[in-house]
Amino acid sequence: MTRKTGRVISLSLIAIVLAAAMIFSFTVAENVTPAEAKKVVNTTTDSSQITTPFTSVISAVQESVVGLNNYQQFNYSTSRSFGARGARKSVEQLAGTGSGVVIYDRYVLTNYHVVESASRLTVSTLGSEDELACELVGQDEALDIAIVYVPDLTLPAVPLGDSDQLQVGEWAICIGNPLAQELRGTATVGIVSALNREISSTTTTDKYGLKTSVTNNMIQIDAAINSGNSGGGMFNVLGQLMGIPSLKYSGSSASNATIEGIGMCIPINSAKPLIEQVLTEGLTEGHKTTESSDNNGTSTASAGDQPRLGVTVTTISAYNSEAVYAGQLPVGALIGEVESGSPAEAAGLKADDVIVEVNGSVITSTRELSAQLTGKKAGDTLNVKVYRIEDTESMTGEYVDVTVTLTDFH
């Protein structure tokens, strides 16, 4: 190393030391007094000057949004040997959680898929760790809505809005319990992105046993909806319940496009008929899909000397019909022949029609059809619902309502 080079290095080191000293001196010079530090951190916020349409709504309705706990029975083998077939035992476990909204004294509206297949349902509230027993009192699988009754619930009900008055662009305030109870009462906000979105639901089974794919009109929003939000509330800025968050799109589409901010809610107006029915009539009758074992044969649908329909019918069910087992046809009484001049012919009943309901009673066998004729006399009428097969290969068809006037036809 030359003397000149060593001099340059020495000067550089001196410059670095001087710079460090200057920084230290500057830092020391900026220290503040304890009084000044307290003045910086001892602050307050005047909440009266905060203007937002959300705080008052959330405060008013948040406690009326509850958690729904779906318990189901699971079977386990008691054998400890791999592959062995030992005794089995049934154990109740929490199968899933969702949300619900109090819509009337002790009545909670939620999604059908939240309560589906439950052996026991309970409700959790925002202010307590206790679970309250509840009972399923109304359901519409096609619309994906259900209502439970909670005897010990004391929370206030929220007001229902008119979802037909919703406008694209207005605020959508969602409250629910994402990711189970740990995040209960979570509020998210977005806007109404679109109305009347036609969304095809998963295949459902109606009360007669027929599988159908249902398309519902939904409200699209961009407020965050996560697992556990289902069945909660979507409110407007008036605090009215306008929709029921039911599903969200996430991940990527078929074209690999990223999907974000697309959630769907059931309009509250779609749920109002079920709400009114439950509140005025109480428990809705569950649909029957099991076959009576005492009559699987052919019958003329008569009741002794009572007036006859004039049809030959056979019970069809999952036990004797592959089409019923597959959900292509409903359970009921299949008409094999319609007699000439009979009340059935006059009403327009046809061979291959499946009688599924008479005077509001679901028909699952020829025995039940005959029972509907018991005590009837000439001149009485029967309101009959049939599934009319239009294509025998695909078994597609539609439900048809007919009125049969009984006569002295024998």
Side-chain angles (χ1 to χ4, degrees), residues 65-407:
V65 179
V66 299
L68 263 295
N69 307 299
N70 182 324
Y71 290 91
Q72 297 181 18
Q73 295 289 335
F74 295 89
N75 294 320
Y76 294 94
S77 173
T78 59
S79 173
R80 295 184 179 182
S81 300
F82 179 76
R85 303 182 66 181
R88 302 184 68 82
K89 67 177 181 178
S90 180
V91 178
E92 183 183 71
Q93 291 185 348
L94 181 64
T97 62
S99 304
V101 183
V102 183
I103 53 164
Y104 191 73
D105 181 27
R106 293 172 285 184
Y107 286 88
V108 173
L109 177 67
T110 185
N111 282 137
Y112 172 79
H113 74 260
V114 170
V115 301
E116 184 178 11
S117 302
S119 59
R120 183 169 65 94
L121 292 167
T122 65
V123 162
S124 301
T125 62
L126 185 62
S128 173
E129 296 296 326
D130 296 334
E131 294 185 22
L132 305 177
C134 63
E135 176 187 6
L136 179 63
V137 293
Q139 63 188 52
D140 188 324
E141 182 181 359
L143 285 176
D144 193 23
I145 55 176
I147 298 174
V148 299
Y149 178 72
V150 194
D152 296 328
L153 191 65
T154 58
L155 297 176
V158 303
L160 306 186
D162 180 0
S163 54
D164 289 342
Q165 303 303 314
L166 274 171
Q167 304 174 75
V168 173
E170 69 174 273
W171 292 114
I173 306 169
C174 292
I175 302 177
N177 301 294
L179 306 180
Q181 301 303 315
E182 290 80 1
L183 301 178
R184 66 181 69 179
T186 294
T188 58
V189 174
I191 64 168
V192 174
S193 304
L195 300 170
N196 299 316
R197 290 294 197 202
E198 293 187 353
I199 305 299
S200 295
S201 66
T202 57
T203 300
T204 60
T205 304
D206 67 17
K207 65 179 180 178
Y208 310 113
L210 182 69
K211 290 184 178 180
T212 55
S213 180
V214 181
T215 298
N216 292 321
N217 289 326
M218 309 279 274
I219 304 164
Q220 180 184 337
I221 63 173
D222 67 351
I225 298 177
N226 295 286
S227 297
N229 272 109
S230 292
M234 188 206 88
F235 301 89
N236 63 10
V237 293
L238 301 179
Q240 297 174 321
L241 182 63
M242 302 298 281
I244 309 152
S246 298
L247 61 92
K248 64 173 292 188
Y249 291 85
S250 61
S252 300
S253 66
S255 61
N256 294 322
T258 300
I259 299 174
E260 292 182 1
I262 299 180
M264 297 293 170
C265 301
I266 300 168
I268 191 60
N269 285 9
S270 296
K272 286 180 178 178
L274 179 64
I275 295 172
E276 185 176 5
Q277 177 186 357
V278 168
L279 294 182
T280 56
E281 300 178 9
L283 181 65
T284 57
E285 182 181 0
H287 61 267
K288 309 172 188 176
T289 57
T290 57
E291 171 56 31
S292 301
S293 60
D294 56 347
N295 192 344
N296 286 322
T298 300
S299 169
T300 56
S302 64
D305 293 330
Q306 303 294 328
R308 296 191 299 115
L309 288 177
V311 294
T312 301
V313 289
T314 303
T315 295
I316 59 169
S317 70
Y319 298 96
N320 61 12
S321 170
E322 291 185 4
V324 176
Y325 181 80
Q328 296 175 300
L329 287 181
V331 175
L334 175 67
I335 297 177
E337 180 183 354
V338 178
E339 298 180 46
S340 177
S342 66
E345 183 185 54
L349 291 176
K350 301 178 180 180
D352 293 332
D353 283 350
V354 181
I355 300 175
V356 297
E357 185 174 293
V358 175
N359 289 345
S361 296
V362 176
I363 302 300
T364 65
S365 68
T366 58
R367 178 186 60 80
E368 292 179 352
L369 177 58
S370 295
Q372 289 299 316
L373 292 173
T374 301
K376 297 295 188 296
K377 60 184 182 298
D380 288 345
T381 59
L382 300 176
N383 297 316
V384 180
K385 183 185 290 292
V386 301
Y387 183 76
R388 181 155 294 164
I389 302 172
E390 298 175 344
D391 186 336
T392 55
E393 291 188 5
S394 64
M395 294 298 176
T396 56
E398 63 178 353
Y399 289 112
V400 177
D401 293 308
V402 299
T403 301
V404 180
T405 301
L406 298 175
T407 66

